[in-house]
Amino acid sequence: MNGKDHPRPRRVVVTGMGAVTSLGADLDGIWSALLDGRSGVAEIRQFDSRPFPVRIGSEVPPELAGDDGRLLPRAARFGLEALRRAWRDAALDGGAGLDPWRSGLCIGCSSFPVMEDRVDNVRGLLDGDRLHTANYLQEIRRRPELLGQRDMAAVSALLSEGYPLRGLSMTVQAACTSATQAIGESFQAIRRGEADLMVTGGTDSLLSVACLTGFTLLGALSAWQGDPAVASRPFDRKRDGFVLGEGAGILVLEELEHARARGAEVRAEILGYGSSSDGYRFTDMHPEGLGAARCMQAALASAGLAPGEIDYINAHGTSTPLNDRIETLAIKRVLGEHAYEVPVSSNKSQLGHLICAAGGIEMILTVLTLQRRVLPPTLNLEHPDPECDLDYVPNRCRPAEPRVALSNSFGFGGQNGTLVVRRWEEA
């Protein structure tokens, strides 16, 4: 078979975006807050965090948590609200003209329910991981959603209810890379011709007593005791850990001709996706950044691009001493000298780390960076680190003309994902 016999890969575009974050749910509002240097990090309100050494988080405001009367985990409620906004942004209300069997859903989320804000509703049923059987049996007939409290696939099932999404359905759990891998798998499904439209991204909430305790014991969280807005300091020499966040970032992806046929507005084009595993240590990246570098290289190969064609990188940038140094090393390994010409920024400096949802909101912000031709800043970068020596857009946004960007996610267990996205230009 010669090259002419291979079908040309289908083009995949972004036509809708929706988010729920500590800085709000309106995309214009979130974007303005980022450019203005505002932070969503504050003292935790869901439970009394005063006894903990870490008392801060990037928490979604109560009015954005959503409530349809069901006993749903916060992640599910965030995802439902973000999906509603993305669906509307894509001008899909009513779903007219969609083939539901070629429209699917792939969501990254965690399997740990967070329900502290409804503790009165579940007292007597759930006590950590212990189940009060007698009370549970009495309640399960009245509240069948309790069956989904330990099942991450339930989030995808809940999100598909009420939408014409009857095709490909997947749930991705790859730690901090979950949403990026979900977007990547959705991109591949459309590119291969298995779907015409995919709802994808991630939703998560690990702001719970158990998770705050676990991440604190691992030494992963910032122990900063001053102004909460200063706690997340990616690439800064004095960084000491990430800030736990919550929220959702949902995108609508479509095959280009499918989007054109219904007159959809195209936000950006996804060109490539790469995934890899460090296979090194559960809580640490490979010290030479081999997995992260391989992931970025695979994404560039998928996009058919050379390293010199990258104009911007939305970094994983967690604010942990290890991650930021190794991500910097991996970027230099992939881009060579060009790395010093490419601006890199971390939204986690303002939104915290949304864990399984991080790649979703960061992909949305990468698209906005390309569309609006402004680079969001990396806040709190005051003390240069000789091992983090790239252009991290410190503290202030910057006008620019990026055409092609990478969005990186590197998770626990060495699970890596990178997306390549291009500013939409019809010509």
Side-chain angles (χ1 to χ4, degrees), residues 207-231:
L207 274 173
S208 69
V209 169
C211 293
L212 190 70
T213 300
F215 282 122
T216 300
L217 291 173
L218 281 175
L221 299 183
S222 172
W224 178 258
Q225 297 297 314
D227 179 0
V230 183

Side-chain angles (χ1 to χ4, degrees), residues 20 108-110 175-176 178-180 201-205 246-249 353-363:
V20 173
C109 64
S110 68
C176 316
S178 298
T180 295
T203 184
D204 206 359
S205 176
E246 62 177 2
H353 192 346
L354 277 61
I355 312 297
C356 293
I361 185 62
E362 288 162 11
M363 182 59 170

Side-chain angles (χ1 to χ4, degrees), residues 106-289:
C106 182
I107 298 294
C109 64
S110 68
S111 56
F112 202 108
V114 176
M115 304 172 67
E116 275 81 358
D117 63 336
R118 294 188 169 193
V119 67
D120 291 336
N121 291 337
V122 295
R123 185 175 287 123
L125 298 179
L126 302 174
D127 179 13
D129 282 326
R130 291 177 295 172
L131 188 64
H132 295 287
T133 306
N135 292 344
Y136 184 83
L137 292 174
Q138 182 178 346
E139 286 291 318
I140 195 65
R141 295 181 181 87
R142 192 163 65 91
R143 294 176 176 175
E145 62 266 24
L146 285 171
L147 287 170
Q149 292 301 322
R150 287 294 189 271
D151 179 10
M152 68 183 184
V155 173
S156 294
L158 287 165
L159 264 61
S160 67
E161 288 183 4
Y163 293 92
L165 303 171
R166 302 291 178 265
L168 183 65
S169 178
M170 291 190 291
T171 306
V172 176
Q173 215 304 324
C176 316
T177 310
S178 298
T180 295
Q181 290 202 2
I183 296 168
E185 293 303 316
S186 297
F187 159 75
Q188 296 280 39
I190 296 173
R191 195 185 214 189
R192 291 191 300 259
E194 297 170 7
D196 295 325
L197 180 147
M198 291 291 295
V199 169
T200 186
T203 184
D204 206 359
S205 176
L206 294 184
L207 274 173
S208 69
V209 169
C211 293
L212 190 70
T213 300
F215 282 122
T216 300
L217 291 173
L218 281 175
L221 299 183
S222 172
W224 178 258
Q225 297 297 314
D227 179 0
V230 183
S232 184
R233 292 164 281 171
F235 305 106
D236 186 88
R237 178 167 45 85
K238 294 189 176 183
R239 65 192 184 276
D240 69 338
F242 69 82
V243 172
L244 197 57
E246 62 177 2
I250 302 294
L251 301 94
V252 176
L253 307 188
E254 292 185 64
E255 190 272 325
L256 177 59
E257 296 308 319
H258 182 274
R260 282 174 168 161
R262 67 179 191 86
E265 180 183 350
V266 175
R267 316 291 188 192
E269 182 176 8
I270 300 180
L271 301 180
Y273 163 59
S275 179
S276 73
S277 174
D278 282 23
Y280 176 69
R281 187 180 295 151
F282 180 70
T283 55
D284 297 334
M285 301 171 70
H286 190 283
E288 296 179 22

Side-chain angles (χ1 to χ4, degrees), residues 233-239 324 328 379-392 394-395:
R233 292 164 281 171
F235 305 106
D236 186 88
R237 178 167 45 85
K238 294 189 176 183
R239 65 192 184 276
D324 295 359
T328 298
L379 283 197
N380 306 319
L381 212 174
E382 304 289 350
H383 308 92
D385 182 341
E387 292 188 289
C388 297
D389 58 349
L390 300 179
D391 173 10
Y392 304 108
N395 301 312

